[in-house]
Amino acid sequence: MLKYAYNKKYGGFIMSNKQTYTNFITALKQLDCDIAFIQDPTTVSLLTHYTTDPHERVLAMVVSVNHSPLLFVPALEKNMAQAAEPTYTVISYQDHENPWEILTSAIQKQFDLPTKWAVEKNFITLHTAENLKKENSEIQWADDLTPIINDLRLRKDADAIQKLKDSGTYADKAVEIGIQSLKEGITELEVVAKIEYEMKKLGITSMSFDTMVLFGDHAADPHGIPGDRKLRKNEWVLFDLGTMYNGYASDMTRTIFFGEENAKEVRHQEIFTIVKTAHDLAIQAVKPGMKASQIDAIARDYITEKGYGKYFIHRLGHGIGQSCHEFPSIMEGNDMILEEGMCFSVEPGVYIANDYGVRVEDCLVVTKDGCELFTHFPQEVTKN
Ligand code: MN
Ligand code: MN
């Protein structure tokens, strides 16, 4: 789910990259369509200076090569949308009105009776399609915008990369706060509350996903939900968290030891070292020209060679940007060639039910001859 991001510097709105809009229009020229009809809030956020979560209300952005764009928002967002994009036509509707009627008639007027509509086929619902057709039976569904938009998201420019680094700095801080708060008897949820309270005080309006803090063998669930489990001495603690900052997400995982160094179970420490080494080997291999699948294989082959391959039950990583999970997927079968500006996570893990779970995760950007990490907190930590 999209999260709001508040930017003090620009009066409450995220600044996105105008070049992305220009690139989108260039791509649109290649398609056989009259308009591009966009509804995914993350796409609207990518192409405009406006970020919103409309919940169940109707949001739309309509763009064409020859006309100025139109934003269609609920009435309660009209002022914010117009302030974010003063040159756009902003049309709104109130809850008691029929949004489809107002939207289609505004489109007819602004775009000279367009018939060929390109849409995001992975986002538009049958409900939306039927409602639009009911108002305007002339509509023909034209090309799919999804591949174009995915491609625009794939390579980040310097501005976006800086924002990802800033967001990563806050994630580092959040992990540090979490580790400082550990003490015998504290619950997982209390640690989550502590982290999120302190992050709010630092100006972070939202985390990029629900903060995960898991004690001991609970970390063997890769998507475990923090609860009232109490921390005991000499347990491992897994933190998986991220923040939204200036509209960009961070995402990192640390698995640290709470207790006395000499109380660590040898086997658990060995598994930790295997996962951390797999993480380091993958990161060292990242550079333009490598395939996404090769990076996954480097980490996976190492873990397999050490005997724990069957416990590494997810892809190595996912893209990151304005959303926490996007392209490229770093996994077997994805032979996409890495290019400068692509940003993704490297997060190998080993999960042995009722015993032990460990993951080490950092996000990075592919640079000219390697990569640069967004998070820098030490990976191997013991907290007494
Ligand atoms: Mn991740
Ligand atoms: Mn994560």
Side-chain angles (χ1 to χ4, degrees):
M1 183 52 70
L2 186 80
K3 301 280 184 178
Y4 291 95
Y6 182 82
N7 184 325
K8 290 177 200 123
K9 196 170 159 194
Y10 298 107
F13 302 106
I14 301 166
M15 297 302 287
S16 70
N17 172 23
K18 271 319 219 184
Q19 187 61 43
T20 308
Y21 180 84
T22 310
N23 294 346
F24 180 70
I25 294 295
T26 305
L28 209 54
K29 285 179 185 162
Q30 315 300 317
L31 303 184
D32 178 27
C33 68
D34 299 323
I35 57 168
F37 179 80
I38 291 157
Q39 283 211 294
D40 185 340
T42 57
T43 311
V44 174
S45 179
L46 181 75
L47 297 176
T48 71
H49 297 148
Y50 189 54
T51 294
T52 179
D53 180 350
H55 302 287
E56 78 287 4
R57 294 185 173 100
V58 179
L59 170 76
M61 177 184 185
V62 189
V63 178
S64 86
V65 174
N66 301 315
H67 303 79
S68 68
L70 180 150
L71 257 177
F72 183 76
V73 298
L76 66 182
E77 294 186 23
K78 187 172 182 190
N79 290 341
M80 292 192 296
Q82 192 75 76
E85 288 295 355
T87 63
Y88 284 30
T89 306
V90 178
I91 305 283
S92 68
Y93 75 100
Q94 292 192 38
D95 290 334
H96 66 275
E97 296 177 304
N98 177 350
W100 308 109
E101 193 183 321
I102 297 171
L103 175 58
T104 46
S105 84
I107 292 172
Q108 294 288 87
K109 203 166 130 204
Q110 177 141 344
F111 297 92
D112 301 331
L113 310 175
T115 53
K116 291 179 186 165
W117 292 32
V119 295
E120 301 158 286
K121 289 191 178 173
N122 71 335
F123 193 87
I124 195 165
T125 62
L126 192 54
H127 171 82
T128 298
E130 286 178 355
N131 275 302
L132 289 168
K133 277 268 203 181
K134 200 151 82 184
E135 299 299 331
N136 179 359
S137 57
E138 304 292 309
I139 295 172
Q140 297 164 32
W141 306 121
D143 294 272
D144 187 5
L145 297 173
T146 303
I148 294 170
I149 289 159
N150 286 343
D151 196 60
L152 288 177
R153 278 214 185 93
L154 205 51
R155 283 166 284 274
K156 271 72 176 180
D157 66 2
D159 179 54
I161 291 164
Q162 186 55 50
K163 287 171 177 165
L164 286 161
K165 285 180 185 172
D166 292 343
S167 192
T169 303
Y170 280 98
D172 277 334
K173 185 73 192 161
V175 163
E176 186 188 336
I177 291 165
I179 293 174
Q180 277 167 1
S181 77
L182 296 181
K183 58 181 182 192
E184 275 185 82
I186 197 167
T187 69
E188 292 168 339
L189 269 177
E190 282 168 343
V191 178
V192 171
K194 180 79 180 164
I195 291 169
E196 296 192 351
Y197 173 71
E198 295 295 334
M199 294 317 287
K200 285 269 194 293
K201 288 206 290 188
L202 290 173
I204 294 296
T205 54
S206 69
M207 305 305 281
S208 51
F209 55 91
D210 289 342
T211 300
M212 200 185 288
V213 175
L214 303 171
F215 297 159
D217 64 353
H218 196 187
D221 295 323
H223 278 174
I225 296 167
D228 58 5
R229 180 173 167 144
K230 288 186 162 67
L231 182 62
R232 296 186 289 261
K233 197 86 179 156
N234 303 322
E235 275 195 311
W236 292 79
V237 178
L238 183 147
F239 297 89
D240 188 352
L241 54 78
T243 59
M244 290 303 295
Y245 185 70
N246 275 348
Y248 282 79
S250 51
D251 181 11
M252 75 185 293
T253 306
R254 291 292 181 268
T255 311
I256 70 109
F257 188 70
F258 173 73
E260 300 303 325
E261 189 65 39
N262 58 14
K264 276 184 191 172
E265 217 176 286
V266 174
R267 184 164 151 276
H268 288 170
Q269 175 62 38
E270 273 170 15
I271 298 170
F272 176 89
T273 304
I274 291 165
V275 171
K276 179 175 155 24
T277 305
H279 160 277
D280 295 351
L281 289 172
I283 286 173
Q284 282 158 22
V286 172
K287 62 178 182 190
M290 291 289 282
K291 290 176 186 166
S293 54
Q294 284 178 301
I295 305 299
D296 179 279
I298 287 166
R300 198 169 301 279
D301 291 350
Y302 180 77
I303 292 173
T304 303
E305 191 185 298
K306 295 289 172 185
Y308 291 95
K310 71 169 175 169
Y311 300 107
F312 178 19
I313 50 175
H314 54 73
R315 63 185 172 183
L316 181 67
H318 54 80
I320 188 161
Q322 289 178 301
S323 62
C324 205
H325 282 159
E326 51 190 60
F327 294 106
S329 268
I330 308 302
M331 62 180 185
E332 186 183 348
N334 181 14
D335 292 334
M336 178 184 282
I337 306 284
L338 299 182
E339 291 173 38
E340 210 176 330
M342 288 183 181
C343 299
F344 55 83
S345 73
V346 168
E347 49 180 306
V350 164
Y351 314 93
I352 306 172
N354 304 313
D355 179 14
Y356 185 59
V358 51
R359 179 163 67 253
V360 180
E361 173 181 26
D362 289 289
C363 292
L364 56 79
V365 55
V366 181
T367 58
K368 202 161 151 251
D369 44 22
C371 67
E372 197 179 337
L373 301 187
F374 298 145
T375 38
H376 304 281
F377 196 85
Q379 284 129 0
E380 190 153 10
V381 175
T382 296
K383 145 98 184 174
N384 291 306

